[in-house]
Amino acid sequence: AQRVTQPEKLLSVFKGAPVELKCNYSYSGSPELFWYVQYSRQRLQLLLRHISRESIKGFTADLNKGETSFHLKKPFAQEEDSAMYYCALSRSSGTYKYIFGTGTRLKVLA
Amino acid sequence: EPEVTQTPSHQVTQMGQEVILRCVPISNHLYFYWYRQILGQKVEFLVSFYNNEISEKSEIFDDQFSVERPDGSNFTLKIRSTKLEDSAMYFCASSAQGGQPQHFGDGTRLSIL
C-alpha cells in the first residue's frame, strides 16, 4: 500500500538551531516526492521536489531509496520558517494524485 | 504569478442539501484535482480529472459526489446530499502536465449543520 509517514506532529526548535522534518514512504514503484509548506491561513505551497535537487529558503531534502525516506533539513532555523509542513508522494505515471503525510507543525522559538 | 482560486471560502449548509464548490485552475493547466482535509486529519485525495473526464477517484468519492468542467475555466465539485461527515476543508489543485507539481487553491471550508 502507498503510504507517507510523518512521525512528528509538532517540532519545536530555537532560532538558529538545525531542523530535520522526517518523512518516510511506502511505495512499490518509483515515486515522486514533494514537500509542501502551509503558512498560517495560507494555501499549500510547493517547497521542494526530489528530482529538482535544489535548495529553497535554505531547505534541502534528499531521497534515500534504501531507507525510503525524504527528510527535510535546514541548518539554521528562522522564525519565519514556523508553518505546517506536508510530505507528499506521487506516482510517476497514471493520474499523479498525491498521497500526503499527516503533516508536521514546525515552531521556531526566538 | 497565476493562482488557483476557490469560491466560496466558507460554505455553511444544512444536512441533505446540495452544495457546489467552485475552482478556477491556472489557465494553461491540464490536470485537475480535488482533495479534502477533515479537521485534525491528513489531506486526502478525492478525484482527478483530465481530458474532460475523471481519471481516478477514491473510495470517498461515492455517488453523492460529482465533478464538472462546464466551460474552459471552472472546475466544480458537487455534493448532492450532504452529510455531517462531509464537513471538511476542500482543496482544488491543478498542474500543467502529469507529474508536474500541483498548485493548490486556498480551500473552501464546508460546514454541514
Side-chain angles (χ1 to χ4, degrees):
Chain A
Q2 301 162 20
R3 190 169 57 244
V4 175
T5 302
Q6 292 180 252
E8 302 132 334
K9 277 194 169 180
L10 173 65
L11 184 64
S12 296
V13 300
F14 285 101
K15 178 181 166 183
V19 172
E20 183 178 53
L21 301 170
K22 291 185 167 42
C23 172
N24 288 91
Y25 66 90
S26 171
Y27 182 65
S28 55
S30 294
E32 301 228 14
L33 276 298
F34 303 85
W35 277 100
Y36 278 79
V37 59
Q38 188 176 35
Y39 299 104
S40 178
R41 300 184 187 281
Q42 294 187 26
R43 65 185 62 204
L44 286 160
Q45 301 172 35
L46 177 69
L47 184 61
L48 286 173
R49 62 187 297 202
H50 87 271
I51 64 169
S52 61
R53 299 187 64 82
E54 54 189 345
S55 173
I56 304 291
K57 300 185 180 183
F59 285 98
T60 58
D62 288 317
L63 179 61
N64 185 324
K65 291 186 178 180
E67 295 183 0
T68 59
S69 69
F70 187 56
H71 301 328
L72 183 68
K73 298 177 185 178
K74 184 169 183 176
F76 307 104
Q78 303 297 315
E79 287 181 74
E80 54 265 30
D81 296 329
S82 295
M84 196 75 178
Y85 290 81
Y86 293 95
C87 182
L89 175 155
S90 170
R91 293 180 291 199
S92 52
S93 61
T95 63
Y96 309 100
K97 70 178 184 186
Y98 280 174
I99 296 164
F100 283 92
T102 48
T104 298
R105 180 167 299 283
L106 175 65
K107 281 191 175 179
V108 182
L109 309 169
Chain B
E1 187 177 329
E3 291 183 338
V4 175
T5 57
Q6 289 186 244
T7 54
S9 55
H10 191 191
Q11 174 82 46
V12 181
T13 302
Q14 291 287 333
M15 186 173 61
Q17 297 295 304
E18 174 183 286
V19 67
I20 297 175
L21 309 182
R22 301 181 192 280
C23 170
V24 179
I26 294 172
S27 64
N28 62 342
H29 283 191
L30 300 176
Y31 289 77
F32 312 110
Y33 305 85
W34 283 101
Y35 296 84
R36 79 170 186 192
Q37 185 176 31
I38 294 171
L39 190 63
Q41 297 185 25
K42 64 168 70 178
V43 178
E44 300 173 288
F45 167 76
L46 288 177
V47 66
S48 57
F49 193 85
Y50 170 70
N51 202 24
N52 283 319
E53 61 183 21
I54 290 173
S55 45
E56 185 174 351
K57 57 186 180 180
S58 71
E59 291 175 356
I60 303 166
F61 195 89
D62 62 22
D63 292 344
Q64 297 299 317
F65 290 85
S66 61
V67 288
E68 268 193 333
R69 189 158 159 79
D71 52 40
S73 59
N74 290 285
F75 179 50
T76 62
L77 174 69
K78 183 193 290 187
I79 309 175
R80 191 151 48 94
S81 178
T82 49
K83 308 190 229 356
L84 292 175
E85 53 264 37
D86 294 327
S87 294
M89 193 74 159
Y90 287 80
F91 293 104
C92 174
S94 68
S95 65
Q97 301 278 351
Q100 291 294 310
Q102 295 176 25
H103 296 252
F104 285 80
D106 284 330
T108 293
R109 181 169 299 286
L110 177 63
S111 300
I112 307 300
L113 305 178

